[in-house]
Amino acid sequence: MKATIAVLPGDGIGPEVIAEGLRCLRALAGSFGHELRLEELPFGGAAIDAGGDPLPTRTLDACLAADAVLLGAIGGPRWSQPGAKVRPEQGLLRLRRELGVYANLRPVKVHPSLIDASTIKAEALRGVDLVFVRELTGGIYFGEKKRDATSAVDVCTYTVPEVERITRAAARLARGRRRKLTSIDKSNVLETSRLWREVCERVMRAEFPDVALEHVLVDAAAMHLIRRPRDFDVLVTENMFGDILTDEASMLAGSLGLLPSASLGDGTRGLYEPIHGSAPDIAGRGIANPYGTLLSAAMLLRHSLQLVREADALESAVNGAIESGARTADIALPGTRSCSTREAGDAVLERLAGA
Ligand code: IPM
Ligand code: MN
């Protein structure tokens, strides 16, 4: 098949992890006989430096025209000074909005050989396999913001259609899994959460009576997530709760660097990015974990290009690399040598070649 992928390396470790993603995509295209056009474009802080806009028109147009977008990471202290007029993050939020990718899937699977990499007890971790569905284009991230000398305002809004569509996306996913959906809100305090709970309840009763639904308050969910993570299957929540809880959930897998994400809308075009940030503290040293990006590329193949065999091959190559002990510093055992970003990529490529 022929497909075009817009590639946005971004800032910090973004270009380093994306380089490994591109090597794997090229290798897969070669061995499965696909023609992938990989178009690299400026985005984030790098694009601010180049022209003052984190999401240049040329980049946005290319993303809108592509079959999928693969993104590294954006941001860094250089662009986040208190008075900054334009921030890399604004480009990312605008890109998500313009692409209409309201459903952000963040799977969390505990790899058996990485149980020791987590700070959480092994018996709580074995068999954990859950997916967060984070609402991505609404809520407090996109509400009106105001600031004067003595106060600041961030408005949080949700509409009925926004809650309906994210509930449906999560419920469809739950149908293909254990038929259990956990909706997370703060309905004891927030009006948006009361709307969220009502709409979710109504959609589930009318359209997904075969999927069990439970509601959990966000503070309790944060606790249960590390106390009994195996009980969860699909979790749906609003934008900011999803941002916070998925960083927490990454500690189940062992590292923020392992988690991929897919952001989807109504069509097949999607935005794929690891959930980690640009990690300015380790940028440029070649030690970042590329697995979150490689697993994001696998989600891209699966969800936007319908290349299931290729996605499976990439996922098992990543799993094989991890099992073989190709561990970057964030997941290395104390006292053992950790591998570089490149070496982790090599370990995956080796397995792709043998597939
Ligand atoms: C994420 C990131 C972003 C978010 C930032 C960089 C705007 O933390 O994708 O989780 O908050 O959505
Ligand atoms: Mn985040």
Side-chain angles (χ1 to χ4, degrees):
M1 79 168 302
K2 279 189 189 178
T4 302
I5 302 174
V7 180
L8 317 181
D11 309 316
I13 59 169
E16 299 167 42
V17 292
I18 284 293
E20 300 313 312
L22 294 182
R23 287 209 296 156
C24 290
L25 285 173
R26 287 199 183 100
L28 279 165
S31 50
F32 285 86
H34 302 303
E35 206 176 298
L36 293 186
R37 210 161 74 85
L38 303 164
E39 194 183 354
E40 285 188 53
L41 298 145
F43 183 56
I48 294 179
D49 290 349
D53 183 355
L55 179 57
T57 309
R58 173 166 85 88
T59 298
L60 175 60
D61 288 346
C63 291
L64 289 167
D67 297 292
V69 182
L70 182 65
L71 166 64
I74 49 128
R78 280 191 43 209
W79 306 284
S80 304
Q81 301 307 318
K85 278 198 203 66
V86 36
R87 295 164 182 271
E89 289 78 4
Q90 292 165 342
L92 179 56
L93 298 197
R94 193 167 154 235
L95 179 63
R96 290 170 175 171
R97 240 310 160 69
E98 299 271 1
L99 289 171
V101 289
Y102 57 84
N104 179 220
L105 276 44
R106 296 185 163 191
V108 181
K109 232 181 185 164
V110 174
H111 195 287
S113 67
L114 287 183
I115 285 189
D116 54 18
S118 177
T119 50
I120 299 166
K121 285 196 182 120
E123 65 254 33
L125 294 177
R126 259 183 275 279
V128 167
D129 178 6
L130 55 87
V131 189
F132 269 92
V133 180
R134 168 188 176 194
E135 200 292 325
L136 200 63
T137 55
I140 200 166
Y141 273 54
F142 290 90
E144 190 195 349
K145 296 181 189 308
K146 278 192 295 203
R147 179 69 185 267
D148 62 29
T150 55
S151 67
V153 177
D154 290 286
V155 176
C156 183
T157 304
Y158 268 107
T159 65
V160 168
E162 282 175 325
V163 182
E164 284 174 343
R165 66 184 183 179
I166 193 72
T167 301
R168 289 188 184 114
R172 282 194 292 266
L173 187 67
R175 251 188 193 155
R177 297 174 47 105
R178 283 152 51 198
R179 291 178 183 263
K180 181 178 175 193
L181 180 64
T182 304
S183 172
I184 298 168
D185 65 39
K186 187 70 186 176
S187 60
N188 52 347
V189 175
L190 301 179
E191 206 51 52
T192 43
S193 280
R194 288 191 271 271
L195 176 91
W196 181 282
R197 196 177 275 221
E198 278 167 34
V199 172
C200 177
E201 188 85 43
R202 170 172 59 70
V203 169
M204 293 303 292
R205 199 176 313 128
E207 301 170 33
F208 301 90
D210 52 316
V211 176
L213 172 68
E214 66 170 357
H215 300 282
V216 181
L217 294 173
V218 62
D219 47 352
M223 184 264 290
H224 290 303
L225 205 52
I226 45 176
R227 187 181 155 85
R228 47 174 188 92
R230 247 191 317 270
D231 290 355
F232 299 106
D233 187 31
V234 180
L235 305 97
V236 65
T237 192
E238 63 99 59
N239 204 341
M240 190 162 72
F241 296 161
D243 179 46
I244 297 168
L245 292 175
T246 50
D247 266 37
E248 184 195 8
S250 77
M251 288 298 101
L252 301 166
S255 168
L256 197 54
L258 289 167
L259 293 208
S261 87
S263 304
L264 304 168
D266 289 323
T268 59
R269 188 182 58 210
L271 167 64
Y272 300 83
E273 44 175 326
I275 84 157
H276 64 68
S278 60
D281 52 326
I282 60 160
R285 292 168 53 196
I287 60 168
N289 186 337
Y291 294 140
T293 300
L294 301 188
L295 294 170
S296 300
M299 293 184 89
L300 181 159
L301 294 167
R302 190 181 305 283
H303 295 286
S304 284
L305 307 188
Q306 282 74 49
L307 297 177
V308 177
R309 281 187 310 140
E310 292 79 346
D312 287 345
L314 183 49
E315 275 169 13
S316 34
V318 169
N319 287 335
I322 292 172
E323 248 153 59
S324 77
R327 295 181 173 207
T328 43
D330 55 321
I331 50 174
L333 289 171
T336 62
R337 180 184 174 278
S338 46
C339 74
S340 67
T341 309
R342 201 16 106 82
E343 287 167 333
D346 286 341
V348 174
L349 280 168
E350 240 169 69
R351 284 164 181 81
L352 282 181

Coordinates of all heavy atoms in Angstrom, one line a residue, residues 96 106 134 141 242-244 246-247 256 275-277, ligand 2:
R96 N -4.1 19.0 17.8 CA -5.1 18.0 18.2 C -6.5 18.4 17.8 O -7.3 17.7 17.3 CB -5.0 17.7 19.8 CG -3.8 17.0 20.2 CD -3.6 17.0 21.7 NE -2.5 16.2 22.2 CZ -2.0 16.2 23.4 NH1 -2.6 16.9 24.4 NH2 -1.0 15.4 23.8
R106 N -4.5 5.4 25.5 CA -3.2 5.2 26.2 C -3.2 3.8 26.9 O -3.6 3.7 28.0 CB -3.0 6.3 27.2 CG -2.9 7.7 26.5 CD -2.5 8.8 27.4 NE -2.0 9.9 26.6 CZ -1.4 11.0 27.1 NH1 -1.2 11.1 28.4 NH2 -1.0 12.0 26.3
R134 N -8.7 9.0 27.0 CA -8.7 10.4 27.5 C -9.3 11.3 26.5 O -8.9 11.3 25.4 CB -7.2 10.8 27.8 CG -7.0 12.2 28.0 CD -5.5 12.6 28.0 NE -5.3 14.0 28.2 CZ -4.2 14.7 28.0 NH1 -3.1 14.0 27.6 NH2 -4.1 16.0 28.1
Y141 N -8.4 22.4 29.2 CA -7.2 22.7 28.3 C -7.7 23.8 27.3 O -6.8 24.5 26.7 CB -6.8 21.5 27.6 CG -5.8 20.6 28.3 CD1 -6.0 20.2 29.6 CD2 -4.6 20.2 27.6 CE1 -5.0 19.4 30.2 CE2 -3.6 19.5 28.3 CZ -3.9 19.0 29.5 OH -2.9 18.3 30.2
G242 N -7.2 12.7 32.6 CA -6.6 11.7 31.8 C -5.1 11.9 31.7 O -4.2 11.0 31.7
D243 N -4.7 13.2 31.6 CA -3.3 13.6 31.6 C -2.6 13.1 32.8 O -1.5 12.5 32.8 CB -3.2 15.1 31.4 CG -1.7 15.5 31.3 OD1 -0.9 14.9 30.6 OD2 -1.4 16.5 32.0
I244 N -3.2 13.4 33.9 CA -2.5 13.2 35.2 C -2.5 11.7 35.5 O -1.5 11.1 35.9 CB -3.3 13.9 36.4 CG1 -3.2 15.4 36.1 CG2 -2.7 13.5 37.7 CD1 -4.1 16.3 37.0
T246 N -2.6 9.1 33.6 CA -1.8 8.3 32.7 C -0.3 8.4 33.0 O 0.5 7.4 32.9 CB -2.0 8.5 31.2 OG1 -1.9 9.9 30.9 CG2 -3.4 8.0 30.8
D247 N 0.1 9.5 33.5 CA 1.5 9.6 34.0 C 1.6 8.6 35.3 O 2.6 7.9 35.4 CB 1.9 11.0 34.5 CG 2.6 11.8 33.4 OD1 2.3 11.6 32.2 OD2 3.5 12.6 33.7
L256 N 7.7 6.0 32.2 CA 7.0 6.9 31.3 C 7.4 6.7 29.8 O 6.6 6.9 28.9 CB 7.2 8.4 31.7 CG 6.3 9.5 31.3 CD1 4.9 9.2 31.6 CD2 6.8 10.8 31.9
I275 N 3.6 9.1 25.4 CA 3.0 10.0 26.4 C 4.0 10.8 27.1 O 3.7 11.8 27.8 CB 2.0 9.3 27.3 CG1 2.8 8.7 28.5 CG2 1.2 8.2 26.7 CD1 1.8 8.5 29.7
H276 N 5.3 10.5 27.0 CA 6.3 11.3 27.7 C 6.6 12.6 27.1 O 6.1 12.9 25.9 CB 7.6 10.5 27.8 CG 8.3 10.2 26.5 ND1 8.8 11.2 25.7 CD2 8.5 9.1 25.8 CE1 9.4 10.7 24.6 NE2 9.1 9.4 24.6
G277 N 7.3 13.5 27.8 CA 7.6 14.8 27.3 C 9.0 14.9 26.6 O 9.5 13.8 26.3
Ligands
MN2 MN 0.9 14.5 30.0

